[in-house]
Amino acid sequence: MYPILTVGSVAFDSMKTPLGEASRVVGGAATYFSVAASFFTDVRLVAVVGDDFTEDQMRVFADRRIDLTGLQRVPGETFRWKGEYSCDFNTRETIYTHLNVFDAFQPVLPDSYRPTPFVFLANIHPALQSDVLTQVHQPQFVAADTMNYWIEGTPNDLRAVLGRVDALIINDEEARQLSGESNLVKAARTIQQMGPELLVIKRGEHGVLMTRDRGFFAVPALPLETVIDPTGAGDTFAGGFMGYLASAGEINDAVMTRAIIAGSALASFAVEDFGLERLLRLTPDALQDRFSEFKRLTHFEAL
Ligand code: AMP
């Protein structure tokens, strides 16, 4: 079992979905990732919050396998983001993104973080992703995420990161935007040429598509009756996927397919309530049950 280091946003999120709204709840890509990955392994978090982030809000990380030595608290306001979902939940409009303390953030890895073999560069400015990666000693497996904000706003910094990672975990819309290809297979091949050998494309309620070399592996999303808020589902998937890989300690096709199920199972919980609520209540037994549901959903006898 290996630990994972992650850098990304820790945020105050506001969201409006067809079923209601929430404002100023704790979120952020690295938060969802860390909580999800900590179900499987030890997580080392690199991020920054402002002095408006209270001890009480810090409790989302408490009693989990999340090391906060690399979480800086500085004067100023915490990163803020607001999103609004369409009536079928399938598209989301960003109402605002305020980087706040991330604008001047200069990550310095604690010495204890430097030898971490698994690294996940969660969604944040790609220059920060690169900066953190440079400080890790000979990582074995590095994956990254990004989003339209950075694909449009900082394409050169993003290209530099892509040249240094083993895997990219993004959603279908981002894959199309990054590659300029509308066909997902062509998009995957184009992105692989930018650096990442492994590409995991998250397709919301349609599941996940993974490709390494020329082959594909796909799983559906669990059909759910209750979807309340999809925010963070992608980061939660990445946390489950990477957490499982790091806990297995080796990377091969069998481990990767199980990691896809681990990520999908965790993401299926994340959408069942606003923000982090459902994940924070999740027990290992409930997670295990959902693994079994996925097995039933996807298993069939060969003809
Ligand atoms: P997801 O729903 O998986 O795309 O992730 C939503 C999370 O990403 C929210 O918790 C936001 O705080 C965070 N987020 C949104 N925009 C950005 C951005 N430009 N950089 C970093 N994190 C972001």
Side-chain angles (χ1 to χ4, degrees), residues 266-289:
L266 273 159
S268 74
F269 285 109
V271 303
E272 288 182 338
D273 204 343
F274 278 103
L276 283 158
E277 289 301 321
R278 183 66 187 94
L279 282 184
L280 295 179
R281 296 195 302 270
L282 180 60
T283 61
D285 282 351
L287 180 57
Q288 191 59 47
D289 286 349

PDB file of all heavy atoms in Angstrom, residues 266-289:
ATOM      1  N   LEU A 266     -17.805   5.098  -5.366  1.00  0.00           N
ATOM      2  CA  LEU A 266     -17.752   6.282  -4.493  1.00  0.00           C
ATOM      3  C   LEU A 266     -18.509   7.458  -5.110  1.00  0.00           C
ATOM      4  O   LEU A 266     -19.251   8.167  -4.424  1.00  0.00           O
ATOM      5  CB  LEU A 266     -16.298   6.660  -4.219  1.00  0.00           C
ATOM      6  CG  LEU A 266     -15.712   5.914  -3.035  1.00  0.00           C
ATOM      7  CD1 LEU A 266     -14.203   5.901  -3.075  1.00  0.00           C
ATOM      8  CD2 LEU A 266     -16.183   6.537  -1.720  1.00  0.00           C
ATOM      9  N   ALA A 267     -18.341   7.651  -6.424  1.00  0.00           N
ATOM     10  CA  ALA A 267     -19.022   8.773  -7.087  1.00  0.00           C
ATOM     11  C   ALA A 267     -20.540   8.620  -7.005  1.00  0.00           C
ATOM     12  O   ALA A 267     -21.271   9.601  -6.902  1.00  0.00           O
ATOM     13  CB  ALA A 267     -18.570   8.874  -8.540  1.00  0.00           C
ATOM     14  N   SER A 268     -21.010   7.368  -7.007  1.00  0.00           N
ATOM     15  CA  SER A 268     -22.459   7.143  -6.954  1.00  0.00           C
ATOM     16  C   SER A 268     -23.024   7.616  -5.604  1.00  0.00           C
ATOM     17  O   SER A 268     -24.191   7.981  -5.517  1.00  0.00           O
ATOM     18  CB  SER A 268     -22.798   5.671  -7.206  1.00  0.00           C
ATOM     19  OG  SER A 268     -22.471   4.865  -6.089  1.00  0.00           O
ATOM     20  N   PHE A 269     -22.203   7.613  -4.568  1.00  0.00           N
ATOM     21  CA  PHE A 269     -22.664   8.163  -3.285  1.00  0.00           C
ATOM     22  C   PHE A 269     -22.609   9.689  -3.290  1.00  0.00           C
ATOM     23  O   PHE A 269     -23.500  10.349  -2.759  1.00  0.00           O
ATOM     24  CB  PHE A 269     -21.780   7.656  -2.134  1.00  0.00           C
ATOM     25  CG  PHE A 269     -22.044   6.228  -1.767  1.00  0.00           C
ATOM     26  CD1 PHE A 269     -21.129   5.233  -2.058  1.00  0.00           C
ATOM     27  CD2 PHE A 269     -23.222   5.879  -1.119  1.00  0.00           C
ATOM     28  CE1 PHE A 269     -21.381   3.913  -1.723  1.00  0.00           C
ATOM     29  CE2 PHE A 269     -23.479   4.566  -0.768  1.00  0.00           C
ATOM     30  CZ  PHE A 269     -22.560   3.576  -1.075  1.00  0.00           C
ATOM     31  N   ALA A 270     -21.542  10.227  -3.917  1.00  0.00           N
ATOM     32  CA  ALA A 270     -21.316  11.681  -3.831  1.00  0.00           C
ATOM     33  C   ALA A 270     -22.517  12.484  -4.328  1.00  0.00           C
ATOM     34  O   ALA A 270     -22.809  13.559  -3.807  1.00  0.00           O
ATOM     35  CB  ALA A 270     -20.067  12.053  -4.633  1.00  0.00           C
ATOM     36  N   VAL A 271     -23.226  11.958  -5.337  1.00  0.00           N
ATOM     37  CA  VAL A 271     -24.322  12.723  -5.961  1.00  0.00           C
ATOM     38  C   VAL A 271     -25.625  12.645  -5.163  1.00  0.00           C
ATOM     39  O   VAL A 271     -26.593  13.325  -5.486  1.00  0.00           O
ATOM     40  CB  VAL A 271     -24.588  12.244  -7.409  1.00  0.00           C
ATOM     41  CG1 VAL A 271     -23.327  12.353  -8.257  1.00  0.00           C
ATOM     42  CG2 VAL A 271     -25.124  10.810  -7.450  1.00  0.00           C
ATOM     43  N   GLU A 272     -25.642  11.813  -4.116  1.00  0.00           N
ATOM     44  CA  GLU A 272     -26.907  11.577  -3.406  1.00  0.00           C
ATOM     45  C   GLU A 272     -27.281  12.662  -2.396  1.00  0.00           C
ATOM     46  O   GLU A 272     -28.341  12.597  -1.780  1.00  0.00           O
ATOM     47  CB  GLU A 272     -26.867  10.216  -2.696  1.00  0.00           C
ATOM     48  CG  GLU A 272     -26.959   9.070  -3.674  1.00  0.00           C
ATOM     49  CD  GLU A 272     -26.983   7.707  -2.994  1.00  0.00           C
ATOM     50  OE1 GLU A 272     -26.533   7.586  -1.835  1.00  0.00           O
ATOM     51  OE2 GLU A 272     -27.449   6.764  -3.634  1.00  0.00           O
ATOM     52  N   ASP A 273     -26.399  13.637  -2.205  1.00  0.00           N
ATOM     53  CA  ASP A 273     -26.733  14.748  -1.302  1.00  0.00           C
ATOM     54  C   ASP A 273     -25.897  15.954  -1.724  1.00  0.00           C
ATOM     55  O   ASP A 273     -25.003  15.831  -2.571  1.00  0.00           O
ATOM     56  CB  ASP A 273     -26.431  14.345   0.158  1.00  0.00           C
ATOM     57  CG  ASP A 273     -27.266  15.142   1.147  1.00  0.00           C
ATOM     58  OD1 ASP A 273     -27.813  16.199   0.757  1.00  0.00           O
ATOM     59  OD2 ASP A 273     -27.357  14.719   2.312  1.00  0.00           O
ATOM     60  N   PHE A 274     -26.154  17.105  -1.125  1.00  0.00           N
ATOM     61  CA  PHE A 274     -25.388  18.298  -1.477  1.00  0.00           C
ATOM     62  C   PHE A 274     -23.950  18.194  -0.968  1.00  0.00           C
ATOM     63  O   PHE A 274     -23.694  17.640   0.109  1.00  0.00           O
ATOM     64  CB  PHE A 274     -26.044  19.543  -0.874  1.00  0.00           C
ATOM     65  CG  PHE A 274     -27.187  20.032  -1.715  1.00  0.00           C
ATOM     66  CD1 PHE A 274     -28.490  19.791  -1.331  1.00  0.00           C
ATOM     67  CD2 PHE A 274     -26.947  20.692  -2.916  1.00  0.00           C
ATOM     68  CE1 PHE A 274     -29.552  20.223  -2.117  1.00  0.00           C
ATOM     69  CE2 PHE A 274     -27.997  21.127  -3.708  1.00  0.00           C
ATOM     70  CZ  PHE A 274     -29.300  20.885  -3.307  1.00  0.00           C
ATOM     71  N   GLY A 275     -23.040  18.757  -1.767  1.00  0.00           N
ATOM     72  CA  GLY A 275     -21.643  18.855  -1.352  1.00  0.00           C
ATOM     73  C   GLY A 275     -21.074  17.511  -0.920  1.00  0.00           C
ATOM     74  O   GLY A 275     -21.278  16.484  -1.577  1.00  0.00           O
ATOM     75  N   LEU A 276     -20.389  17.536   0.223  1.00  0.00           N
ATOM     76  CA  LEU A 276     -19.699  16.338   0.719  1.00  0.00           C
ATOM     77  C   LEU A 276     -20.574  15.488   1.635  1.00  0.00           C
ATOM     78  O   LEU A 276     -20.124  14.438   2.118  1.00  0.00           O
ATOM     79  CB  LEU A 276     -18.488  16.769   1.548  1.00  0.00           C
ATOM     80  CG  LEU A 276     -17.263  17.243   0.803  1.00  0.00           C
ATOM     81  CD1 LEU A 276     -16.416  18.113   1.712  1.00  0.00           C
ATOM     82  CD2 LEU A 276     -16.434  16.039   0.336  1.00  0.00           C
ATOM     83  N   GLU A 277     -21.812  15.962   1.890  1.00  0.00           N
ATOM     84  CA  GLU A 277     -22.631  15.358   2.941  1.00  0.00           C
ATOM     85  C   GLU A 277     -22.685  13.828   2.922  1.00  0.00           C
ATOM     86  O   GLU A 277     -22.446  13.167   3.914  1.00  0.00           O
ATOM     87  CB  GLU A 277     -24.069  15.904   2.882  1.00  0.00           C
ATOM     88  CG  GLU A 277     -24.208  17.339   3.319  1.00  0.00           C
ATOM     89  CD  GLU A 277     -23.725  17.557   4.735  1.00  0.00           C
ATOM     90  OE1 GLU A 277     -23.974  16.691   5.586  1.00  0.00           O
ATOM     91  OE2 GLU A 277     -23.061  18.582   4.980  1.00  0.00           O
ATOM     92  N   ARG A 278     -23.016  13.274   1.752  1.00  0.00           N
ATOM     93  CA  ARG A 278     -23.195  11.813   1.693  1.00  0.00           C
ATOM     94  C   ARG A 278     -21.877  11.074   1.918  1.00  0.00           C
ATOM     95  O   ARG A 278     -21.841  10.033   2.590  1.00  0.00           O
ATOM     96  CB  ARG A 278     -23.829  11.408   0.343  1.00  0.00           C
ATOM     97  CG  ARG A 278     -24.109   9.921   0.221  1.00  0.00           C
ATOM     98  CD  ARG A 278     -25.187   9.478   1.201  1.00  0.00           C
ATOM     99  NE  ARG A 278     -25.393   8.037   1.244  1.00  0.00           N
ATOM    100  CZ  ARG A 278     -24.805   7.213   2.117  1.00  0.00           C
ATOM    101  NH1 ARG A 278     -23.922   7.686   2.992  1.00  0.00           N
ATOM    102  NH2 ARG A 278     -25.072   5.921   2.116  1.00  0.00           N
ATOM    103  N   LEU A 279     -20.798  11.633   1.356  1.00  0.00           N
ATOM    104  CA  LEU A 279     -19.492  10.963   1.523  1.00  0.00           C
ATOM    105  C   LEU A 279     -19.068  10.968   2.984  1.00  0.00           C
ATOM    106  O   LEU A 279     -18.465  10.007   3.473  1.00  0.00           O
ATOM    107  CB  LEU A 279     -18.413  11.680   0.710  1.00  0.00           C
ATOM    108  CG  LEU A 279     -18.370  11.428  -0.786  1.00  0.00           C
ATOM    109  CD1 LEU A 279     -17.172  12.143  -1.382  1.00  0.00           C
ATOM    110  CD2 LEU A 279     -18.314   9.939  -1.101  1.00  0.00           C
ATOM    111  N   LEU A 280     -19.383  12.035   3.684  1.00  0.00           N
ATOM    112  CA  LEU A 280     -18.964  12.132   5.086  1.00  0.00           C
ATOM    113  C   LEU A 280     -19.715  11.133   5.961  1.00  0.00           C
ATOM    114  O   LEU A 280     -19.222  10.714   7.002  1.00  0.00           O
ATOM    115  CB  LEU A 280     -19.146  13.566   5.615  1.00  0.00           C
ATOM    116  CG  LEU A 280     -18.261  14.625   4.932  1.00  0.00           C
ATOM    117  CD1 LEU A 280     -18.536  16.015   5.512  1.00  0.00           C
ATOM    118  CD2 LEU A 280     -16.780  14.307   5.071  1.00  0.00           C
ATOM    119  N   ARG A 281     -20.917  10.724   5.510  1.00  0.00           N
ATOM    120  CA  ARG A 281     -21.700   9.736   6.287  1.00  0.00           C
ATOM    121  C   ARG A 281     -21.421   8.295   5.844  1.00  0.00           C
ATOM    122  O   ARG A 281     -21.940   7.349   6.419  1.00  0.00           O
ATOM    123  CB  ARG A 281     -23.211   9.953   6.066  1.00  0.00           C
ATOM    124  CG  ARG A 281     -23.795  11.241   6.527  1.00  0.00           C
ATOM    125  CD  ARG A 281     -25.331  11.135   6.570  1.00  0.00           C
ATOM    126  NE  ARG A 281     -25.945  10.797   5.303  1.00  0.00           N
ATOM    127  CZ  ARG A 281     -26.359  11.671   4.389  1.00  0.00           C
ATOM    128  NH1 ARG A 281     -26.212  12.966   4.606  1.00  0.00           N
ATOM    129  NH2 ARG A 281     -26.911  11.270   3.262  1.00  0.00           N
ATOM    130  N   LEU A 282     -20.645   8.146   4.780  1.00  0.00           N
ATOM    131  CA  LEU A 282     -20.472   6.818   4.163  1.00  0.00           C
ATOM    132  C   LEU A 282     -19.678   5.861   5.059  1.00  0.00           C
ATOM    133  O   LEU A 282     -18.638   6.228   5.602  1.00  0.00           O
ATOM    134  CB  LEU A 282     -19.752   6.989   2.814  1.00  0.00           C
ATOM    135  CG  LEU A 282     -19.487   5.728   2.016  1.00  0.00           C
ATOM    136  CD1 LEU A 282     -20.789   5.011   1.663  1.00  0.00           C
ATOM    137  CD2 LEU A 282     -18.727   6.073   0.731  1.00  0.00           C
ATOM    138  N   THR A 283     -20.181   4.632   5.175  1.00  0.00           N
ATOM    139  CA  THR A 283     -19.456   3.624   5.955  1.00  0.00           C
ATOM    140  C   THR A 283     -18.800   2.616   4.993  1.00  0.00           C
ATOM    141  O   THR A 283     -19.291   2.407   3.880  1.00  0.00           O
ATOM    142  CB  THR A 283     -20.424   2.833   6.862  1.00  0.00           C
ATOM    143  OG1 THR A 283     -21.379   2.180   6.011  1.00  0.00           O
ATOM    144  CG2 THR A 283     -21.145   3.740   7.844  1.00  0.00           C
ATOM    145  N   PRO A 284     -17.718   1.972   5.436  1.00  0.00           N
ATOM    146  CA  PRO A 284     -17.069   0.964   4.596  1.00  0.00           C
ATOM    147  C   PRO A 284     -18.044  -0.151   4.184  1.00  0.00           C
ATOM    148  O   PRO A 284     -17.973  -0.667   3.065  1.00  0.00           O
ATOM    149  CB  PRO A 284     -15.945   0.425   5.477  1.00  0.00           C
ATOM    150  CG  PRO A 284     -15.642   1.547   6.419  1.00  0.00           C
ATOM    151  CD  PRO A 284     -16.943   2.249   6.661  1.00  0.00           C
ATOM    152  N   ASP A 285     -18.989  -0.504   5.047  1.00  0.00           N
ATOM    153  CA  ASP A 285     -19.950  -1.568   4.699  1.00  0.00           C
ATOM    154  C   ASP A 285     -20.848  -1.154   3.537  1.00  0.00           C
ATOM    155  O   ASP A 285     -21.112  -1.934   2.625  1.00  0.00           O
ATOM    156  CB  ASP A 285     -20.848  -1.901   5.903  1.00  0.00           C
ATOM    157  CG  ASP A 285     -20.108  -2.782   6.892  1.00  0.00           C
ATOM    158  OD1 ASP A 285     -19.005  -3.250   6.546  1.00  0.00           O
ATOM    159  OD2 ASP A 285     -20.630  -2.974   8.011  1.00  0.00           O
ATOM    160  N   ALA A 286     -21.333   0.109   3.585  1.00  0.00           N
ATOM    161  CA  ALA A 286     -22.198   0.595   2.500  1.00  0.00           C
ATOM    162  C   ALA A 286     -21.415   0.634   1.192  1.00  0.00           C
ATOM    163  O   ALA A 286     -21.941   0.314   0.120  1.00  0.00           O
ATOM    164  CB  ALA A 286     -22.744   1.973   2.847  1.00  0.00           C
ATOM    165  N   LEU A 287     -20.132   0.988   1.291  1.00  0.00           N
ATOM    166  CA  LEU A 287     -19.297   1.030   0.082  1.00  0.00           C
ATOM    167  C   LEU A 287     -19.133  -0.378  -0.488  1.00  0.00           C
ATOM    168  O   LEU A 287     -19.257  -0.604  -1.692  1.00  0.00           O
ATOM    169  CB  LEU A 287     -17.932   1.653   0.431  1.00  0.00           C
ATOM    170  CG  LEU A 287     -16.926   1.780  -0.702  1.00  0.00           C
ATOM    171  CD1 LEU A 287     -17.479   2.578  -1.878  1.00  0.00           C
ATOM    172  CD2 LEU A 287     -15.638   2.458  -0.190  1.00  0.00           C
ATOM    173  N   GLN A 288     -18.907  -1.323   0.406  1.00  0.00           N
ATOM    174  CA  GLN A 288     -18.749  -2.720  -0.021  1.00  0.00           C
ATOM    175  C   GLN A 288     -20.030  -3.225  -0.718  1.00  0.00           C
ATOM    176  O   GLN A 288     -19.974  -3.892  -1.748  1.00  0.00           O
ATOM    177  CB  GLN A 288     -18.424  -3.583   1.205  1.00  0.00           C
ATOM    178  CG  GLN A 288     -17.982  -4.997   0.890  1.00  0.00           C
ATOM    179  CD  GLN A 288     -16.732  -5.024   0.003  1.00  0.00           C
ATOM    180  OE1 GLN A 288     -15.767  -4.323   0.262  1.00  0.00           O
ATOM    181  NE2 GLN A 288     -16.765  -5.816  -1.070  1.00  0.00           N
ATOM    182  N   ASP A 289     -21.195  -2.862  -0.165  1.00  0.00           N
ATOM    183  CA  ASP A 289     -22.469  -3.270  -0.779  1.00  0.00           C
ATOM    184  C   ASP A 289     -22.577  -2.724  -2.205  1.00  0.00           C
ATOM    185  O   ASP A 289     -23.078  -3.368  -3.109  1.00  0.00           O
ATOM    186  CB  ASP A 289     -23.664  -2.748   0.032  1.00  0.00           C
ATOM    187  CG  ASP A 289     -23.834  -3.536   1.311  1.00  0.00           C
ATOM    188  OD1 ASP A 289     -23.175  -4.586   1.449  1.00  0.00           O
ATOM    189  OD2 ASP A 289     -24.606  -3.078   2.183  1.00  0.00           O
TER     190      ASP A 289
END
